[in-house]
Each structure stands twice: as C-alpha cells, then as structure tokens.
Amino acid sequence: MTSSEDALANSTSDASLARSKARSAEIDRAIDENPSRFRILTGDRPTGHLHLGHYFGTLRNRVLLQERGVQTWVLIADYQVITDRDGVGPIRERVLALIADYIAVGIDPERSVIFNHSAIPALNQLMLPFLSLVTESELHRNPTVKAELEASDGRAMSGLMLTYPVHQAADILFCKANLVPVGQDQLPHLEQARLIAQRFDKRYGRANPDRPVFPRPEALLSEVPLLLGTDGTKMSKSRGNTIELGMSADETAKILKKAKTDAERRITFDPANRPEVSNLLMLASLSTGRAPEEIADEIGDRGAGALKAFVTESLNEMFAPMRARRAELLANEDYLWSVLRAGDEKANAQADETLDEVRTAMQMDY
C-alpha cells in the first residue's frame, strides 16, 4: 500500500471502530430495557487452565450479563484445540476444570447453557454449507489466520486452521446468538459470521425474505484493560506468567513475589513509562474496586515489596470463595459431567432445529 492508501485504510478502520463502539453502547442500554431479546455465545478452548486474565477479561462479564437476564450460551471449544496443535493433551482434565471454573465464578447452569463442540454433531455439519459461502482469499485475510501463517515459518497451515473463522461462525449461528461479547481485535471474526449469515439468506432464504434463517450477530465490546503477565510480557497460559484461578493462596504469593517491577522506589500509576508497576496496580484495582492512583498514593515510598503484598492480599481475598467452591466442584465429578450433559442436550436440540431450517432453505429436506 502507498502511504495515502495506508492513511485511508486506517481512517476507515477508525471510523468502523467508532461505529462499533456506538452500536455497542446502544445494545448495552437495550439490554437494560429488555434482556430477553438477546442471546450471547461465548466460550473457551480447553488448552490449559483459566487464569486471572480470563477472569477479568471475560468471565466476570459473562456473569454480569447472565445476572442482567441475557440468555447465555458458553461453549467449551474442544474441537478447536487441534486447530494449531498436533494433539489434544490432557483434554478430559481441562474440560472438567473449565466447567468447575465457570460455576465457581458464578455462571449458573440452571440459567446458562454450558456445552462442548464434539457433542453437537449438527453444529459441525453446518460447516459444509458455510464453507461454500466464503472464498479462500477471505479466509487468508482473517487476522487470526494471517498471524498463524506469519508465525508458521513456512510450515504448511492445516485446513482446520484456515477454516477457523468459519468454525466460529457456526458456533455463533447454530444457536441463533445475536450478541457476542468481544474485544476490538475479534471484530473481524464477528464480521465473518455476519457475512455468512447474510450470504446464506441471500442464496437460500429467498422464499421468506422477511424471516431470515440466521440473525445478524452484533458485537458487545468489552472495555477490558490490557493486563501484562508477571514477567512484563503478554499474559499467556503458554508463558506461565499468570495466576491460574485454581492456584492456592501460597502459590499466588510465590508468583507475585517474583513479578517484574522497576528500580524506582516510589509507587506511581504510569502505564506508559512504568508498565510493570502499573500492571500490578491495575490488578489491585480490579480486585478491590479502588482506583489504581489511589492505591499508588497509599503505598507511596514503601516500594515494590509493599505493592506486591497489597496485590497478593487483594487477589487472594477476592478469589478465596471462588477457589473454595471450585475445590468442592472438582470433588464431585459426576455433578460436573451432569451439567455438561444437560447443556449438550439443550445445544443438540437447538442445533438439530437450526440444521432442519438450513436443509429446508436449501431444499434438502427429503
């Protein structure tokens, strides 16, 4: 691209993001007026244990949406584990831990649907018609696919990784979700789902244009602060630089004691110039509900040791009831599997209904 083309692309992107934020704010107000209008789809891949980045980034918001009365569908994306891996690892243990984490943080299986990919055949069958609605070039332009390709060092990409955006579209559309909580970087995935819904109805849904087969899912943008790992780099399960929800209070203290800070003794909240110290202050803020600047002023000249002690105490106090509940749940595997079976039953009923609609629209209901 030329510099003028770059500027135009950035301008268009900024304008699109501004529209997305404005629409998200409208939806948030509409939830208060009539939450029953909305169904959200959200979830996680069971590639490791959930950590505090997941809690502050998504889990807490899921619980809030559930409490506001929004229909909440939570996917354990077990099939997606193999998009970028050669095997599934200890997947049974990780699926079990996910269910326990969900319930421990406040997701209520009586009000929300917890289910997993591999148990919903009709969901996965939607991949065939959906794949006919996208082009190879569109898939290659998806940011996740592009990033994987760039990081592959010339290694061939699997067909599953290339079609990852279509899998996500099937996840969203099978249950007729019309709302997806996302960060700004996930907007292209949602746009792919919207395009597939639009193209399917344009190609096959002409018999009844006033009643499309699929809703057009919209984004509920989450204002999640960027949290760094304890080593000052991106927080990641694979880097081992975060605190898992299932860790003990002592394990939490041990990890935070080694957290990276800087040489300046006085504690200040300055994300641009003191990212590691500010990251710890943000964790303390999220745990206590107090402003990070206020916490910084309170610690003052007592240094990084006092800051780490404050963060440790705040996190352990907040997570204590969740950890206790999680331990109780993991001691009752039969209950956890019953929760998943009940969610799978509901998801299968919805997926079968959606697939029937798809077959009818495609005149394949014979």
Side-chain angles (χ1 to χ4, degrees):
M1 278 190 181
T2 65
S3 58
S4 60
E5 286 172 329
D6 281 334
L8 179 60
N10 289 335
S11 173
T12 303
S13 176
D14 289 344
S16 177
L17 179 57
R19 287 193 297 270
S20 295
K21 286 182 175 180
R23 179 57 183 152
S24 181
E26 288 178 17
I27 292 170
D28 195 61
R29 292 190 292 271
I31 289 173
D32 287 332
E33 295 169 5
N34 184 7
S36 64
R37 288 174 48 200
F38 299 99
R39 174 178 289 181
I40 68 166
L41 186 284
T42 183
D44 304 278
R45 291 199 305 166
T47 54
H49 297 302
L50 297 185
H51 52 67
L52 55 82
H54 295 113
Y55 178 74
F56 291 123
T58 59
L59 295 174
R60 188 161 64 171
N61 191 45
R62 292 175 195 173
V63 175
L64 289 172
L65 287 167
Q66 171 192 268
E67 296 306 313
R68 292 172 72 184
V70 176
Q71 301 175 62
T72 304
W73 288 55
V74 186
L75 167 65
I76 297 175
D78 52 357
Y79 267 162
Q80 287 181 4
V81 170
I82 54 174
T83 53
D84 56 354
R85 293 159 195 257
D86 296 330
V88 296
I91 196 164
R92 184 184 188 278
E93 172 211 337
R94 288 170 177 171
V95 168
L96 200 69
L98 271 181
I99 304 167
D101 285 335
Y102 290 156
I103 299 172
V105 302
I107 294 174
D108 182 356
E110 297 297 321
R111 290 183 287 168
S112 297
V113 181
I114 300 171
F115 66 102
N116 65 303
H117 255 159
S118 59
I120 320 297
L123 184 168
N124 297 297
Q125 196 170 336
L126 291 174
M127 282 291 292
L128 289 173
F130 284 2
L131 281 169
S132 74
L133 300 169
V134 298
T135 67
E136 182 185 359
S137 60
E138 286 175 328
L139 293 174
H140 277 290
R141 285 198 299 269
N142 182 274
T144 299
V145 173
K146 282 175 68 175
E148 181 67 20
L149 190 60
E150 289 166 3
S152 67
D153 251 346
R155 210 168 16 93
M157 179 183 292
S158 74
L160 192 58
M161 185 68 237
L162 180 63
T163 57
Y164 183 65
V166 186
H167 281 258
Q168 290 197 315
D171 296 340
I172 295 165
L173 298 175
F174 99 94
C175 66
K176 304 296 183 79
N178 57 1
L179 193 58
V180 184
V182 294
Q184 294 177 16
D185 60 331
Q186 295 168 305
L187 285 172
H189 287 288
L190 188 57
E191 185 57 33
Q192 185 73 75
R194 290 174 59 83
L195 277 172
I196 288 173
Q198 178 181 326
R199 287 173 181 174
F200 182 89
D201 285 323
K202 184 178 180 181
R203 184 176 295 182
Y204 299 112
R206 294 191 184 98
N208 191 352
D210 296 326
R211 194 165 172 269
V213 175
F214 296 110
R216 305 296 185 265
E218 297 194 88
L220 184 62
L221 285 171
S222 52
E223 295 296 328
V224 181
L226 177 63
L227 293 175
L228 300 175
T230 52
D231 59 357
T233 65
K234 181 181 178 181
M235 189 177 288
S236 168
K237 288 182 277 192
S238 61
R239 292 177 187 267
N241 63 357
T242 188
I243 296 162
E244 296 175 2
L245 299 187
M247 285 180 172
S248 67
D250 287 343
E251 288 172 320
T252 300
K254 186 176 180 180
I255 289 174
L256 284 170
K257 193 172 184 180
K258 297 177 182 178
K260 187 177 180 182
T261 53
D262 57 34
E264 191 173 337
R265 182 161 184 80
R266 181 161 186 82
I267 300 302
T268 58
F269 184 67
D270 184 356
N273 299 306
R274 305 185 70 188
E276 298 90 357
V277 167
S278 298
N279 189 60
L280 289 173
L281 286 166
M282 182 56 68
L283 287 176
S285 173
L286 291 167
S287 305
T288 62
R290 296 171 59 190
E293 295 87 353
E294 178 189 337
I295 297 169
D297 288 343
E298 181 179 312
I299 295 171
D301 292 325
R302 289 187 291 136
L307 172 60
K308 291 177 183 180
F310 187 95
V311 176
T312 299
E313 182 180 354
S314 301
L315 284 173
N316 281 336
E317 184 176 338
M318 184 191 70
F319 281 124
M322 299 180 210
R323 287 167 169 166
R325 177 63 175 143
R326 185 181 189 275
E328 290 175 5
L329 290 162
L330 286 173
N332 189 354
E333 289 191 12
D334 288 345
Y335 169 70
L336 294 176
W337 292 128
S338 73
V339 166
L340 188 61
R341 282 194 296 271
D344 287 344
E345 185 177 346
K346 293 175 184 175
N348 270 308
Q350 176 64 71
D352 289 342
E353 181 181 318
T354 300
L355 187 58
D356 283 345
E357 287 185 67
V358 165
R359 286 174 172 149
T360 299
M362 296 177 72
Q363 301 182 56
M364 290 181 173
D365 51 339
Y366 38 74

